[in-house]
Amino acid sequence: MRKPPTKWIIITFGVICMYLIVLLLQRQHIRMDTPNLEPVTVTNIVDGDTIDVKQKDDTIVRIRFIGVDTPEMDHYNDTETICFGALSKKYVETLIHVGDTVYLEYDIQRIDIYDRTLAYVRTTNDVSTMNNMINHQLVKNGYAINKAFEPNTIYGDKFQSTFNHALSSKIGLWSEYTPNQIYDNYNK
């Protein structure tokens, strides 16, 4: 007759299973912890997807919103494209103002090749909702496309489905235009 497994075999099996689950969740970019949010003060709204903020140590840092792309403000003197960029910036200005406290949520990579800090920007420190995340609101209300850059893709699937809904519902810029009309290299 076969002897039942010892408790050490069961414990070892359990630990291995937990380790594999953690690896799988990390591979899928699923956040298992509550992110630490860094409170900062808005000093400038540069455009629809970039702001300047002051950190606790009084350092001014340029923040590029992760996962989204808004039309450029200065695009080879193309008046129509500049107009789209201005609309996106105006929308951000309805959500935050110079002097406001916002909360930065970081993903895996914190700095881009242009030395900008990459973050999801929230208007409150509540991480249980997307309604306070400016990145998400830009996509949801039709002022940005989703644009995922590895490895910062924790909210990539959510932004994609939100963008699809805004586009099909003709919300914001999509009420009169398509992304191909606004972005030179949208599908490239």
Side-chain angles (χ1 to χ4, degrees):
M1 177 171 214
R2 192 169 160 189
K3 186 176 177 181
T6 66
K7 69 178 182 179
W8 293 111
I9 293 173
I10 294 171
I11 291 171
T12 302
F13 180 74
V15 169
I16 290 170
C17 287
M18 290 301 295
Y19 178 74
L20 292 173
I21 290 169
V22 168
L23 284 178
L24 178 64
L25 291 174
Q26 287 176 340
R27 182 177 171 94
Q28 297 297 319
H29 296 312
I30 296 171
R31 178 163 268 144
M32 296 183 316
D33 62 335
T34 301
N36 289 328
L37 300 180
E38 178 185 358
V40 295
T41 304
V42 177
T43 60
N44 182 33
I45 299 170
V46 178
D47 60 24
D49 54 28
T50 309
I51 60 175
D52 294 331
V53 299
K54 181 167 61 169
Q55 296 177 308
K56 283 184 182 177
D57 65 359
D58 290 334
T59 303
I60 303 295
V61 177
R62 179 145 293 176
I63 305 298
R64 174 63 167 81
F65 300 167
I66 298 174
V68 302
D69 189 28
T70 61
E72 298 301 323
M73 292 286 295
D74 182 13
H75 192 265
Y76 313 110
N77 295 319
D78 178 348
T79 306
E80 191 170 39
T81 303
I82 293 170
C83 177
F84 298 137
L87 288 172
S88 294
K89 179 181 179 183
K90 284 282 187 206
Y91 178 71
V92 171
E93 290 171 338
T94 68
L95 302 174
I96 57 173
H97 307 92
V98 170
D100 285 355
T101 297
V102 295
Y103 300 85
L104 304 181
E105 178 182 346
Y106 300 106
D107 206 327
I108 295 169
Q109 179 183 348
R110 283 199 181 195
I111 306 292
D112 71 5
I113 61 172
Y114 304 106
D115 204 32
R116 299 174 299 191
T117 299
L118 303 170
Y120 303 101
V121 181
R122 294 180 178 270
T123 56
T124 69
N125 62 356
D126 181 2
V127 296
S128 68
T129 179
M130 299 291 279
N131 292 331
N132 66 356
M133 184 190 292
I134 295 172
N135 317 48
H136 181 256
Q137 292 304 313
L138 280 161
V139 175
K140 179 181 176 182
N141 292 294
Y143 291 98
I145 59 173
N146 66 301
K147 200 159 194 179
F149 289 100
E150 291 286 346
N152 293 344
T153 58
I154 286 177
Y155 298 111
D157 291 342
K158 177 65 175 169
F159 287 2
Q160 179 66 53
S161 64
T162 301
F163 171 72
N164 290 343
H165 179 265
L167 188 61
S168 65
S169 300
K170 299 190 177 296
I171 297 171
L173 297 176
W174 319 135
S175 65
E176 297 182 42
Y177 300 95
T178 67
N180 287 325
Q181 292 172 298
I182 296 175
Y183 295 89
D184 288 340
N185 59 354
Y186 174 66
N187 282 323
K188 295 178 184 169

